[in-house]
Amino acid sequence: MTFSRDRVEEIASTLAANGLILRGGFSFGADEVAPAAGSGAPAKSVLLVGQAGAAPWPYFQRWLGQQVEPTANPLDTWSREVIGQVAQAFGARAVSPSDRPYLPFQHWAMRAERLKPSPLGILMHPTYGLWHAYRGALLFENEISPPEVHEAIHLCDICVEKPCLKSCPVDAYSGQGFAHEACLGHVRGPRGEPCRSGGCLDRNACPFGTDYRYPPEVQAFHMAAFAKL
Ligand code: B12
């Protein structure tokens, strides 16, 4: 049985109640080792769930304000809760980008929405630029009719100046991968205040998707989580 496009639309509307969106999907090939669906059998298909810009932030904040106990990794906890409910309603198994062992979310995203990595490693989206992320995925026992994706130009290919490679004070993105330790040392140090309060300077230097750029408070939240501040 194929999961109809109407059903996929229904999932999208349910997710929208929390500012989340579908980020494409695909069917696993017969020769692939797919993660388990709800029954434990290998999933036949997957839909990715994520965000464009900071749309889920107000919903997450409202939820956070209602928590009596402090929650470790609150954004992950909220995402698991919300996406878990959607999975239950639609007969899917929900998985998280934080599940161990790590599931290949970026790999799935490249396949689902035909995205390519920016020089920063973060995937470049034709509309959202670098301002998007994945909050979970839904694994199905059936085939699905995934949302349509249109072929789009990879914006990094037309970007001549590449300001994303020139704005970091410690040159964490040298083109040779991400210098994780150098980045952390700077962000945590005396000159890291601009990164701590406003987010990664290289990411912010990207000229694309600026309408979707996360507000400083959201960037500060992610930076604090990333650098364990
Ligand atoms: C571990 C991790 C990190 C570690 C990386 C440690 C390490 N040395 O590997 C650290 C803490 C450094 C990190 C940092 C960041 N991360 Co991170 N991270 C992850 C996580 C949880 C697992 C990655 C992984 O190992 N996957 C397992 C492999 C098998 O999956 P994969 O998809 O096949 O991975 C491939 C791609 O990532 C690809 N790839 C990655 N970069 C590039 C670059 C090029 C040029 C190419 C060709 C391929 C490529 O190669 C991987 C191996 O095949 C993912 C979530 C997830 N489950 O994927 C988030 C994730 C990749 N991170 C993300 C983000 C946003 C960040 C940060 C900006 C911090 C933040 N959260 O704000 C920084 C960016 C730093 C950077 N440039 O990488 C997002 C990226 C979203 C996007 N739009 O692309 C993800 C998907 C989480 C999410 N919820 O959306 N991260």
Side-chain angles (χ1 to χ4, degrees):
M1 189 188 84
T2 299
F3 223 68
S4 72
R5 193 146 285 164
D6 284 355
R7 196 91 172 123
V8 172
E9 292 287 328
E10 245 183 276
I11 296 176
S13 318
T14 313
L15 290 167
N18 278 294
L20 293 165
I21 54 171
L22 282 180
R23 304 293 316 271
F26 59 89
S27 292
F28 292 103
D31 53 348
E32 294 186 69
V33 182
S39 65
K44 289 236 172 72
S45 58
V46 61
L47 285 176
L48 297 187
V49 177
Q51 66 189 69
W57 186 253
Y59 303 93
F60 163 60
Q61 285 296 302
R62 194 171 316 140
W63 172 89
L64 195 58
Q66 292 162 354
Q67 302 311 298
V68 181
E69 301 286 333
T71 316
N73 306 317
L75 185 57
D76 271 351
T77 307
W78 174 80
S79 305
R80 285 176 202 274
E81 207 172 293
V82 169
I83 299 169
Q85 283 163 8
V86 177
Q88 208 169 17
F90 290 90
R93 180 167 87 93
V95 287
S96 158
S98 306
D99 285 347
R100 303 291 188 109
Y102 291 135
L103 289 160
F105 266 81
Q106 284 193 304
H107 193 82
W108 286 350
M110 292 188 228
R111 207 162 149 183
E113 287 190 316
R114 300 189 218 168
L115 304 183
K116 289 187 187 161
S118 66
L120 307 187
I122 303 169
L123 299 175
M124 172 56 70
H125 188 277
T127 306
Y128 318 137
L130 300 177
W131 304 104
H132 64 104
Y134 302 90
R135 302 263 69 94
L138 300 168
L139 295 162
F140 294 92
E141 284 164 27
N142 303 327
E143 302 280 339
I144 46 158
S145 302
E148 262 178 68
V149 178
H150 301 286
E151 195 68 58
I153 186 166
H154 180 48
L155 293 171
C156 304
D157 286 345
I158 56 160
C159 181
V160 178
E161 296 288 327
K162 302 237 183 304
C164 67
L165 294 177
K166 295 174 186 156
S167 306
C168 172
V170 293
D171 211 9
Y173 295 100
S174 59
Q176 306 294 318
F178 174 54
H180 189 185
E181 291 307 321
C183 168
L184 284 182
H186 177 75
V187 169
R188 291 170 177 161
R191 285 200 278 274
E193 171 51 25
C195 317
R196 292 196 292 271
S197 59
C200 171
L201 306 185
D202 270 346
R203 191 177 186 180
N204 276 297
C206 173
F208 301 114
T210 49
D211 288 350
Y212 292 87
R213 183 181 286 156
Y214 304 163
E217 98 181 272
V218 178
Q219 296 209 46
F221 170 89
H222 285 295
M223 188 56 87
F226 163 71
K228 299 187 174 62
L229 299 175

